[in-house]
PDB file of all heavy atoms in Angstrom:
ATOM      1  N   THR A 107       5.761  10.811  13.327  1.00  0.00           N
ATOM      2  CA  THR A 107       7.140  10.942  12.850  1.00  0.00           C
ATOM      3  C   THR A 107       7.133  10.933  11.328  1.00  0.00           C
ATOM      4  O   THR A 107       7.041   9.870  10.719  1.00  0.00           O
ATOM      5  CB  THR A 107       8.028   9.789  13.377  1.00  0.00           C
ATOM      6  OG1 THR A 107       7.878   9.692  14.783  1.00  0.00           O
ATOM      7  CG2 THR A 107       9.482  10.010  13.021  1.00  0.00           C
ATOM      8  N   PRO A 108       7.213  12.101  10.681  1.00  0.00           N
ATOM      9  CA  PRO A 108       7.171  12.163   9.223  1.00  0.00           C
ATOM     10  C   PRO A 108       8.206  11.246   8.565  1.00  0.00           C
ATOM     11  O   PRO A 108       9.341  11.155   9.008  1.00  0.00           O
ATOM     12  CB  PRO A 108       7.484  13.630   8.923  1.00  0.00           C
ATOM     13  CG  PRO A 108       7.040  14.358  10.142  1.00  0.00           C
ATOM     14  CD  PRO A 108       7.344  13.425  11.282  1.00  0.00           C
ATOM     15  N   GLY A 109       7.767  10.551   7.525  1.00  0.00           N
ATOM     16  CA  GLY A 109       8.660   9.664   6.786  1.00  0.00           C
ATOM     17  C   GLY A 109       8.619   8.219   7.238  1.00  0.00           C
ATOM     18  O   GLY A 109       9.094   7.345   6.540  1.00  0.00           O
ATOM     19  N   ARG A 110       8.041   7.954   8.379  1.00  0.00           N
ATOM     20  CA  ARG A 110       7.974   6.583   8.895  1.00  0.00           C
ATOM     21  C   ARG A 110       6.681   5.889   8.489  1.00  0.00           C
ATOM     22  O   ARG A 110       5.689   6.523   8.181  1.00  0.00           O
ATOM     23  CB  ARG A 110       8.089   6.581  10.418  1.00  0.00           C
ATOM     24  CG  ARG A 110       9.385   7.203  10.919  1.00  0.00           C
ATOM     25  CD  ARG A 110      10.336   6.150  11.379  1.00  0.00           C
ATOM     26  NE  ARG A 110      11.615   6.722  11.745  1.00  0.00           N
ATOM     27  CZ  ARG A 110      12.162   6.585  12.931  1.00  0.00           C
ATOM     28  NH1 ARG A 110      11.538   5.934  13.883  1.00  0.00           N
ATOM     29  NH2 ARG A 110      13.351   7.087  13.168  1.00  0.00           N
ATOM     30  N   VAL A 111       6.701   4.570   8.538  1.00  0.00           N
ATOM     31  CA  VAL A 111       5.533   3.751   8.238  1.00  0.00           C
ATOM     32  C   VAL A 111       5.005   3.157   9.544  1.00  0.00           C
ATOM     33  O   VAL A 111       5.782   2.890  10.463  1.00  0.00           O
ATOM     34  CB  VAL A 111       5.899   2.650   7.207  1.00  0.00           C
ATOM     35  CG1 VAL A 111       6.880   1.662   7.767  1.00  0.00           C
ATOM     36  CG2 VAL A 111       4.677   1.955   6.692  1.00  0.00           C
ATOM     37  N   ILE A 112       3.694   3.015   9.647  1.00  0.00           N
ATOM     38  CA  ILE A 112       3.074   2.506  10.877  1.00  0.00           C
ATOM     39  C   ILE A 112       1.800   1.750  10.506  1.00  0.00           C
ATOM     40  O   ILE A 112       1.265   1.931   9.418  1.00  0.00           O
ATOM     41  CB  ILE A 112       2.785   3.653  11.865  1.00  0.00           C
ATOM     42  CG1 ILE A 112       2.477   3.140  13.251  1.00  0.00           C
ATOM     43  CG2 ILE A 112       1.656   4.520  11.389  1.00  0.00           C
ATOM     44  CD1 ILE A 112       3.336   3.750  14.308  1.00  0.00           C
ATOM     45  N   THR A 113       1.303   0.928  11.426  1.00  0.00           N
ATOM     46  CA  THR A 113       0.066   0.195  11.146  1.00  0.00           C
ATOM     47  C   THR A 113      -1.121   1.149  11.123  1.00  0.00           C
ATOM     48  O   THR A 113      -1.111   2.183  11.785  1.00  0.00           O
ATOM     49  CB  THR A 113      -0.209  -0.901  12.194  1.00  0.00           C
ATOM     50  OG1 THR A 113      -0.405  -0.284  13.461  1.00  0.00           O
ATOM     51  CG2 THR A 113       0.930  -1.890  12.265  1.00  0.00           C
ATOM     52  N   THR A 114      -2.145   0.779  10.392  1.00  0.00           N
ATOM     53  CA  THR A 114      -3.333   1.627  10.284  1.00  0.00           C
ATOM     54  C   THR A 114      -4.102   1.688  11.604  1.00  0.00           C
ATOM     55  O   THR A 114      -4.890   2.604  11.809  1.00  0.00           O
ATOM     56  CB  THR A 114      -4.275   1.119   9.172  1.00  0.00           C
ATOM     57  OG1 THR A 114      -4.566  -0.256   9.409  1.00  0.00           O
ATOM     58  CG2 THR A 114      -3.651   1.289   7.804  1.00  0.00           C
ATOM     59  N   THR A 115      -3.849   0.766  12.505  1.00  0.00           N
ATOM     60  CA  THR A 115      -4.555   0.764  13.792  1.00  0.00           C
ATOM     61  C   THR A 115      -3.789   1.495  14.889  1.00  0.00           C
ATOM     62  O   THR A 115      -4.282   1.642  15.999  1.00  0.00           O
ATOM     63  CB  THR A 115      -4.815  -0.688  14.255  1.00  0.00           C
ATOM     64  OG1 THR A 115      -3.559  -1.364  14.345  1.00  0.00           O
ATOM     65  CG2 THR A 115      -5.728  -1.414  13.287  1.00  0.00           C
ATOM     66  N   ALA A 116      -2.589   1.990  14.593  1.00  0.00           N
ATOM     67  CA  ALA A 116      -1.739   2.600  15.617  1.00  0.00           C
ATOM     68  C   ALA A 116      -2.064   4.061  15.908  1.00  0.00           C
ATOM     69  O   ALA A 116      -1.609   4.601  16.900  1.00  0.00           O
ATOM     70  CB  ALA A 116      -0.273   2.472  15.214  1.00  0.00           C
ATOM     71  N   ARG A 117      -2.824   4.708  15.070  1.00  0.00           N
ATOM     72  CA  ARG A 117      -3.141   6.122  15.242  1.00  0.00           C
ATOM     73  C   ARG A 117      -4.650   6.324  15.212  1.00  0.00           C
ATOM     74  O   ARG A 117      -5.392   5.516  14.686  1.00  0.00           O
ATOM     75  CB  ARG A 117      -2.471   6.966  14.154  1.00  0.00           C
ATOM     76  CG  ARG A 117      -0.956   6.852  14.135  1.00  0.00           C
ATOM     77  CD  ARG A 117      -0.338   7.546  15.338  1.00  0.00           C
ATOM     78  NE  ARG A 117       1.113   7.491  15.281  1.00  0.00           N
ATOM     79  CZ  ARG A 117       1.865   6.859  16.175  1.00  0.00           C
ATOM     80  NH1 ARG A 117       1.318   6.218  17.174  1.00  0.00           N
ATOM     81  NH2 ARG A 117       3.174   6.867  16.072  1.00  0.00           N
ATOM     82  N   SER A 118      -5.101   7.479  15.722  1.00  0.00           N
ATOM     83  CA  SER A 118      -6.538   7.733  15.827  1.00  0.00           C
ATOM     84  C   SER A 118      -7.184   8.080  14.484  1.00  0.00           C
ATOM     85  O   SER A 118      -8.382   7.917  14.312  1.00  0.00           O
ATOM     86  CB  SER A 118      -6.803   8.855  16.831  1.00  0.00           C
ATOM     87  OG  SER A 118      -6.149  10.036  16.411  1.00  0.00           O
TER      88      SER A 118
END
Side-chain angles (χ1 to χ4, degrees):
T107 308
R110 301 255 175 123
V111 66
I112 194 126
T113 63
T114 54
T115 58
R117 300 289 183 243
S118 60

